[in-house]
Short mmCIF file of all heavy atoms in Angstrom, two decimals:
data_model
loop_
_atom_site.label_atom_id
_atom_site.label_comp_id
_atom_site.label_asym_id
_atom_site.label_seq_id
_atom_site.Cartn_x
_atom_site.Cartn_y
_atom_site.Cartn_z
N GLY W 910 149.05 -10.47 -129.37
CA GLY W 910 149.06 -9.02 -129.45
C GLY W 910 150.12 -8.61 -130.63
O GLY W 910 149.76 -7.60 -131.33
N PHE W 911 151.21 -9.25 -130.70
CA PHE W 911 152.13 -8.86 -131.70
C PHE W 911 151.60 -8.94 -133.13
O PHE W 911 151.79 -8.18 -133.95
CB PHE W 911 153.49 -9.53 -131.60
CG PHE W 911 154.48 -9.26 -132.66
CD1 PHE W 911 155.12 -8.04 -132.66
CD2 PHE W 911 154.77 -10.18 -133.74
CE1 PHE W 911 155.92 -7.70 -133.71
CE2 PHE W 911 155.63 -9.86 -134.64
CZ PHE W 911 156.22 -8.59 -134.72
N LEU W 912 150.81 -10.06 -133.29
CA LEU W 912 150.21 -10.37 -134.66
C LEU W 912 149.26 -9.34 -135.03
O LEU W 912 148.94 -9.19 -136.21
CB LEU W 912 149.64 -11.75 -134.59
CG LEU W 912 150.67 -12.94 -134.77
CD1 LEU W 912 149.87 -14.31 -134.61
CD2 LEU W 912 151.34 -12.84 -136.13
N MET W 913 148.67 -8.58 -134.04
CA MET W 913 147.75 -7.53 -134.44
C MET W 913 148.47 -6.31 -134.96
O MET W 913 147.75 -5.54 -135.78
CB MET W 913 146.99 -7.08 -133.11
CG MET W 913 146.04 -8.12 -132.65
SD MET W 913 145.09 -7.46 -131.26
CE MET W 913 143.93 -8.71 -130.99
N VAL W 914 149.80 -6.19 -134.78
CA VAL W 914 150.46 -4.88 -135.19
C VAL W 914 151.83 -5.28 -135.93
O VAL W 914 152.70 -4.36 -136.02
CB VAL W 914 150.75 -3.94 -134.02
CG1 VAL W 914 149.35 -3.45 -133.48
CG2 VAL W 914 151.49 -4.64 -132.98
N SER W 915 152.03 -6.46 -136.32
CA SER W 915 153.27 -6.84 -136.87
C SER W 915 153.66 -6.15 -138.13
O SER W 915 154.81 -6.02 -138.41
CB SER W 915 153.25 -8.34 -137.11
OG SER W 915 152.31 -8.79 -138.03
N GLN W 916 152.72 -5.48 -138.77
CA GLN W 916 153.02 -4.77 -140.00
C GLN W 916 153.89 -3.51 -139.68
O GLN W 916 154.61 -3.05 -140.58
CB GLN W 916 151.73 -4.22 -140.62
CG GLN W 916 151.02 -3.14 -139.97
CD GLN W 916 150.16 -3.51 -138.83
OE1 GLN W 916 149.89 -4.64 -138.70
NE2 GLN W 916 149.88 -2.53 -138.00
N GLU W 917 154.01 -3.16 -138.36
CA GLU W 917 154.95 -1.95 -138.13
C GLU W 917 156.40 -2.39 -138.06
O GLU W 917 157.16 -1.54 -137.96
CB GLU W 917 154.53 -1.41 -136.75
CG GLU W 917 153.00 -0.95 -136.63
CD GLU W 917 152.70 0.16 -137.71
OE1 GLU W 917 153.65 0.93 -138.04
OE2 GLU W 917 151.65 -0.02 -138.20
N LEU W 918 156.69 -3.72 -138.44
CA LEU W 918 158.10 -4.07 -138.74
C LEU W 918 158.50 -3.29 -139.80
O LEU W 918 159.74 -2.89 -139.93
CB LEU W 918 158.27 -5.54 -138.91
CG LEU W 918 158.06 -6.48 -137.74
CD1 LEU W 918 157.94 -7.89 -138.16
CD2 LEU W 918 159.21 -6.31 -136.75
N ALA W 919 157.62 -2.88 -140.79
CA ALA W 919 158.03 -2.12 -141.98
C ALA W 919 158.38 -0.74 -141.56
O ALA W 919 159.41 -0.16 -142.15
CB ALA W 919 156.88 -2.07 -142.92
N THR W 920 157.69 -0.26 -140.46
CA THR W 920 157.90 1.18 -140.06
C THR W 920 159.39 1.21 -139.43
O THR W 920 160.17 2.14 -139.64
CB THR W 920 156.92 1.63 -138.98
OG1 THR W 920 155.64 1.40 -139.68
CG2 THR W 920 157.08 3.04 -138.62
N VAL W 921 159.72 0.34 -138.48
CA VAL W 921 160.96 0.35 -137.80
C VAL W 921 162.07 0.19 -138.85
O VAL W 921 163.14 0.59 -138.71
CB VAL W 921 161.10 -0.61 -136.65
CG1 VAL W 921 160.05 -0.23 -135.64
CG2 VAL W 921 160.85 -2.01 -137.03
N LYS W 922 161.83 -0.64 -139.89
CA LYS W 922 162.89 -0.86 -140.85
C LYS W 922 163.12 0.40 -141.60
O LYS W 922 164.25 0.84 -141.90
CB LYS W 922 162.53 -2.12 -141.74
CG LYS W 922 163.48 -2.33 -142.82
CD LYS W 922 164.94 -2.68 -142.31
CE LYS W 922 165.81 -3.02 -143.49
NZ LYS W 922 167.25 -3.35 -142.90
N GLU W 923 162.02 0.96 -142.27
CA GLU W 923 162.20 2.05 -143.07
C GLU W 923 162.75 3.27 -142.42
O GLU W 923 163.43 4.08 -143.20
CB GLU W 923 160.76 2.40 -143.76
CG GLU W 923 160.26 1.30 -144.75
CD GLU W 923 161.13 1.14 -145.87
OE1 GLU W 923 161.74 2.13 -146.39
OE2 GLU W 923 161.33 -0.06 -146.31
N TYR W 924 162.36 3.46 -141.23
CA TYR W 924 162.89 4.70 -140.44
C TYR W 924 163.95 4.34 -139.60
O TYR W 924 164.47 5.24 -138.79
CB TYR W 924 161.60 5.31 -139.72
CG TYR W 924 160.68 5.87 -140.61
CD1 TYR W 924 159.53 5.13 -140.94
CD2 TYR W 924 160.78 7.20 -141.04
CE1 TYR W 924 158.57 5.75 -141.88
CE2 TYR W 924 159.85 7.79 -141.88
CZ TYR W 924 158.77 7.04 -142.24
OH TYR W 924 157.78 7.62 -143.13
N ASP W 925 164.52 3.15 -139.59
CA ASP W 925 165.66 2.71 -138.79
C ASP W 925 165.49 3.11 -137.37
O ASP W 925 166.31 3.84 -136.69
CB ASP W 925 166.99 3.33 -139.42
CG ASP W 925 168.22 2.72 -138.69
OD1 ASP W 925 168.17 1.49 -138.27
OD2 ASP W 925 169.24 3.41 -138.70
N ILE W 926 164.35 2.63 -136.78
CA ILE W 926 164.09 2.85 -135.38
C ILE W 926 164.47 1.64 -134.58
O ILE W 926 163.88 0.56 -134.57
CB ILE W 926 162.57 3.09 -135.14
CG1 ILE W 926 162.20 4.36 -136.09
CG2 ILE W 926 162.22 3.39 -133.65
CD1 ILE W 926 160.66 4.56 -136.05
N PRO W 927 165.58 1.66 -133.77
CA PRO W 927 166.26 0.44 -133.27
C PRO W 927 165.54 0.09 -131.95
O PRO W 927 166.11 0.03 -130.90
CB PRO W 927 167.72 0.90 -133.03
CG PRO W 927 167.62 2.38 -132.82
CD PRO W 927 166.43 2.90 -133.65
N VAL W 928 164.30 -0.39 -132.03
CA VAL W 928 163.67 -1.09 -130.87
C VAL W 928 163.89 -2.51 -130.94
O VAL W 928 164.17 -3.12 -132.11
CB VAL W 928 162.13 -0.73 -130.79
CG1 VAL W 928 161.94 0.71 -130.65
CG2 VAL W 928 161.43 -1.36 -131.96
N VAL W 929 163.88 -3.25 -129.79
CA VAL W 929 163.90 -4.70 -129.74
C VAL W 929 162.66 -5.26 -129.32
O VAL W 929 162.04 -4.84 -128.31
CB VAL W 929 165.07 -5.14 -128.91
CG1 VAL W 929 165.18 -6.61 -128.84
CG2 VAL W 929 166.40 -4.60 -129.24
N ILE W 930 162.15 -6.22 -130.10
CA ILE W 930 160.85 -6.70 -129.86
C ILE W 930 161.07 -8.14 -129.30
O ILE W 930 161.57 -9.02 -130.07
CB ILE W 930 159.86 -6.84 -131.01
CG1 ILE W 930 159.76 -5.36 -131.73
CG2 ILE W 930 158.38 -7.18 -130.62
CD1 ILE W 930 160.53 -5.30 -132.98
N CYS W 931 160.66 -8.41 -128.03
CA CYS W 931 160.77 -9.77 -127.51
C CYS W 931 159.34 -10.38 -127.57
O CYS W 931 158.43 -9.96 -126.84
CB CYS W 931 161.16 -9.89 -126.07
SG CYS W 931 162.96 -9.33 -125.94
N VAL W 932 159.04 -11.35 -128.45
CA VAL W 932 157.79 -11.96 -128.57
C VAL W 932 157.75 -13.23 -127.72
O VAL W 932 158.50 -14.13 -128.05
CB VAL W 932 157.49 -12.43 -130.08
CG1 VAL W 932 156.08 -13.10 -130.10
CG2 VAL W 932 157.46 -11.11 -130.91
N LEU W 933 157.00 -13.26 -126.64
CA LEU W 933 156.82 -14.44 -125.78
C LEU W 933 155.78 -15.30 -126.47
O LEU W 933 154.65 -15.13 -126.54
CB LEU W 933 156.34 -14.00 -124.34
CG LEU W 933 157.14 -12.95 -123.72
CD1 LEU W 933 156.79 -12.82 -122.23
CD2 LEU W 933 158.68 -13.21 -123.81
N ASP W 934 156.32 -16.38 -126.96
CA ASP W 934 155.58 -17.17 -127.96
C ASP W 934 155.23 -18.63 -127.30
O ASP W 934 156.00 -19.48 -127.10
CB ASP W 934 156.66 -17.49 -129.13
CG ASP W 934 156.01 -18.35 -130.29
OD1 ASP W 934 154.99 -18.85 -130.15
OD2 ASP W 934 156.80 -18.51 -131.23
N ASN W 935 153.90 -18.59 -127.00
CA ASN W 935 153.30 -19.84 -126.48
C ASN W 935 152.16 -20.38 -127.32
O ASN W 935 151.56 -21.32 -127.04
CB ASN W 935 152.90 -19.71 -125.07
CG ASN W 935 151.75 -18.63 -124.83
OD1 ASN W 935 151.28 -18.10 -125.79
ND2 ASN W 935 151.49 -18.38 -123.63
N ARG W 936 151.95 -19.71 -128.44
CA ARG W 936 150.97 -20.10 -129.44
C ARG W 936 149.54 -20.04 -128.89
O ARG W 936 148.59 -20.69 -129.44
CB ARG W 936 151.31 -21.44 -130.09
CG ARG W 936 152.62 -21.47 -130.79
CD ARG W 936 152.50 -20.62 -131.96
NE ARG W 936 153.85 -20.18 -132.53
CZ ARG W 936 154.19 -19.61 -133.66
NH1 ARG W 936 153.13 -19.38 -134.50
NH2 ARG W 936 155.26 -19.21 -133.94
N TYR W 937 149.38 -19.34 -127.74
CA TYR W 937 147.93 -19.22 -127.26
C TYR W 937 147.73 -17.67 -127.07
O TYR W 937 148.61 -16.91 -126.73
CB TYR W 937 147.88 -19.89 -125.89
CG TYR W 937 147.55 -21.32 -126.04
CD1 TYR W 937 148.60 -22.30 -126.13
CD2 TYR W 937 146.24 -21.75 -126.04
CE1 TYR W 937 148.34 -23.61 -126.21
CE2 TYR W 937 145.93 -23.15 -126.19
CZ TYR W 937 147.01 -24.15 -126.18
OH TYR W 937 146.62 -25.31 -126.39
N LEU W 938 146.42 -17.34 -127.00
CA LEU W 938 145.97 -16.10 -126.39
C LEU W 938 146.02 -16.30 -124.91
O LEU W 938 145.02 -16.79 -124.25
CB LEU W 938 144.59 -15.67 -126.83
CG LEU W 938 144.41 -15.49 -128.25
CD1 LEU W 938 143.02 -15.19 -128.73
CD2 LEU W 938 145.34 -14.29 -128.79
N GLY W 939 147.20 -16.11 -124.29
CA GLY W 939 147.53 -16.69 -122.96
C GLY W 939 146.63 -16.34 -121.83
O GLY W 939 146.22 -17.24 -121.06
N MET W 940 146.24 -15.08 -121.78
CA MET W 940 145.39 -14.59 -120.55
C MET W 940 144.06 -15.22 -120.68
O MET W 940 143.37 -15.67 -119.76
CB MET W 940 145.38 -13.19 -120.44
CG MET W 940 144.66 -12.64 -119.19
SD MET W 940 145.29 -13.26 -117.64
CE MET W 940 146.72 -12.11 -117.50
N VAL W 941 143.51 -15.18 -121.96
CA VAL W 941 142.09 -15.74 -122.13
C VAL W 941 142.06 -17.32 -121.83
O VAL W 941 141.27 -17.76 -121.21
CB VAL W 941 141.62 -15.49 -123.55
CG1 VAL W 941 140.14 -15.93 -123.67
CG2 VAL W 941 141.70 -13.96 -123.89
N ALA W 942 143.22 -17.92 -122.32
CA ALA W 942 143.37 -19.34 -122.06
C ALA W 942 143.46 -19.68 -120.62
O ALA W 942 142.90 -20.63 -120.06
CB ALA W 942 144.53 -19.92 -122.89
N GLN W 943 144.26 -18.75 -119.80
CA GLN W 943 144.32 -18.96 -118.44
C GLN W 943 143.02 -18.82 -117.72
O GLN W 943 142.67 -19.74 -116.87
CB GLN W 943 145.33 -17.86 -117.85
CG GLN W 943 145.36 -17.90 -116.35
CD GLN W 943 146.51 -16.95 -115.73
OE1 GLN W 943 147.51 -16.88 -116.41
NE2 GLN W 943 146.23 -16.32 -114.61
N TRP W 944 142.11 -17.92 -118.06
CA TRP W 944 140.87 -17.84 -117.51
C TRP W 944 140.01 -19.07 -117.89
O TRP W 944 139.24 -19.62 -116.96
CB TRP W 944 140.17 -16.62 -117.95
CG TRP W 944 140.61 -15.28 -117.25
CD1 TRP W 944 141.96 -14.91 -117.09
CD2 TRP W 944 139.77 -14.39 -116.56
NE1 TRP W 944 141.95 -13.72 -116.38
CE2 TRP W 944 140.60 -13.40 -116.08
CE3 TRP W 944 138.45 -14.32 -116.38
CZ2 TRP W 944 140.21 -12.28 -115.34
CZ3 TRP W 944 137.93 -13.13 -115.68
CH2 TRP W 944 138.84 -12.17 -115.16
N GLN W 945 140.13 -19.59 -119.00
CA GLN W 945 139.41 -20.76 -119.50
C GLN W 945 139.81 -21.88 -118.69
O GLN W 945 139.00 -22.73 -118.24
CB GLN W 945 139.51 -21.01 -121.04
CG GLN W 945 138.85 -19.94 -121.89
CD GLN W 945 139.15 -20.09 -123.39
OE1 GLN W 945 140.15 -20.68 -123.76
NE2 GLN W 945 138.26 -19.60 -124.24
N ASN W 946 141.16 -22.07 -118.42
CA ASN W 946 141.63 -23.16 -117.70
C ASN W 946 141.16 -23.04 -116.24
O ASN W 946 140.86 -24.05 -115.59
CB ASN W 946 143.19 -23.20 -117.74
CG ASN W 946 143.66 -23.96 -118.97
OD1 ASN W 946 143.19 -24.94 -119.36
ND2 ASN W 946 144.68 -23.27 -119.56
#
């Protein structure tokens, strides 16, 4: 999901919007893979 909108890193940088993004990184489309499993 983050890779779909990662360009908004430019927005938070340019406007100094201090959000914290925790990317849960398992290199899978996890829910779809769970159903496939």
Side-chain angles (χ1 to χ4, degrees):
F911 177 72
L912 282 172
M913 292 184 172
V914 294
S915 57
Q916 75 281 343
E917 299 307 321
L918 288 168
T920 305
V921 295
K922 177 62 178 178
E923 291 299 321
Y924 291 93
D925 191 24
I926 302 171
V928 300
V929 181
I930 311 106
C931 293
V932 178
L933 305 192
D934 180 358
N935 61 9
R936 298 292 157 169
Y937 276 92
L938 297 175
M940 185 59 79
V941 184
Q943 174 170 322
W944 282 53
Q945 289 173 338
N946 276 317

